[in-house]
Amino acid sequence: MTDLVFTRNSGWIPRVVREDGELRLMIAAGADANHDPRTFTFPIGQAHLAVIQDDLARHLLLWSAVLPLCEDAGTRGVLDENAAVALLDPILLGAPADVDALFGRIRWEKGRLIAHGADIALLERGQVCAAMRTATPEADQKRAQEYYADRRRAERGSVLGPLDAALLRYTGQYVHGSTIPKRLPDAVDPALLPEVLSVITTAEQACAGMRIGLDPRRGKRATDKRDWDRMAAAVETAVRRDHPGLADDAVRTVSFLMCSEAAGRSRNTPVEDEDEAADLGAGARKTALTFTDDKGGERKWLRDGSRTASAAFWEFVTDRYAGDNEVFTIEDEVMGEGIQLHLYADSVARITTARQGEAGSEPEYLVEYGLVDGIGGYRKLLSAFVGGGCAALEPYGPWMSDVADFESARRRRDAR
């Protein structure tokens, strides 16, 4: 039978229980193989209970020293009770100088103490007892997370200034750089907010008019990496120019914010709306098209007002694209022309009928090759073709009918 003897009713701070008449300290730490929390106990004496009840600092210090022993137990091992008991007298009953010396020799969980308000500078100097004068029973986990984030930055030689830190807090990326950035002005010291907003304004002006389109080759909501890289480069160049003192982490978080917002706008814009102007603005000559791929897939499109050709085609690509299915064709059978997109190589072929087949003979086709600037270039080509056929693709050249010349041009581009 287990009876509760003492608890601070605050988070995960260890509690004292009585099991079969024996006082024991109960600690929740780690998890088992099923990811359920593990609980450990070990015996304590009456004198230890008195200190735990009256001295929050010593209670927390003991906790931080026992946690590594709990971690050693892993998912199914047992706590080394002898090692845990050996910590009781030195930590709870020892002189402050002796406690400081002990913590210089043993493993302990620094983040737990930082979360409970310990003075970080004193902890770093090994003055653990003095550091715990500011301890609180309530935990601020974000404080510990920021401490470890700063440690990771220091290990790679990055030190944040006040404005750098404010920008990372504004985007919500101070602790985790991979977190999707947001705009959090309330997280910034009001005195620094005007400077933060000045940097953000510089970034907004640098990428004004730029967009990050969707890339159907990578899924329905995936964005174009080239567009992302272009916008990030534009923002970072402008921010470094106008605010030269910023750390790399701060510059990157601002560009990440701009790119994430642009990508979000693309993901939330219906494909029909995205392609409407491009398809219809050029004259909309095409009324029927056939889409095919290298795996025998085929889809017909008719201009009936329900969907644009571009939207229908990119949906076809999204549904059919795979590592072994990367060539897609758009054909106007009536006009005898089409374009073939080589999505693996950023290139395209435009195909026109040079001579109609007669008396059972096959028609002759003129095939010309061109280079494409990523998925954005493909979108422009498709829209031009929908609006004006192969003739409308002329400005997107040069077009090469000689395969050797084309391959040479592609190698030169890829080398750059």
Side-chain angles (χ1 to χ4, degrees), residues 365-387:
Y365 298 100
L366 173 63
V367 181
E368 299 169 291
Y369 300 93
L371 301 176
V372 181
D373 186 12
I375 199 69
Y378 283 123
R379 289 185 182 278
K380 293 176 182 177
L381 283 168
L382 175 57
S383 295
F385 179 76
V386 171

Side-chain angles (χ1 to χ4, degrees), residues 125-143:
R125 292 200 293 268
Q127 297 174 255
V128 295
C129 288
M132 296 307 291
R133 291 171 186 161
T134 55
T136 62
E138 295 77 25
D140 180 358
Q141 298 298 341
K142 186 177 180 182
R143 187 170 187 257

Side-chain angles (χ1 to χ4, degrees), residues 216-230:
R217 296 171 296 182
R218 300 169 56 214
K220 291 186 177 181
R221 292 175 57 81
T223 52
D224 183 0
K225 186 178 185 299
R226 289 195 182 192
D227 284 352
W228 183 293
D229 291 344
R230 287 191 190 100

Side-chain angles (χ1 to χ4, degrees), residues 82 86 112 135 152 154 176 207 218 230 233 245 292 351 379 411:
N82 292 332
R112 196 71 63 173
R152 291 191 294 271
H176 300 295
C207 62
R218 300 169 56 214
R230 287 191 190 100
T292 57
I351 306 164
R379 289 185 182 278
R411 284 193 296 269

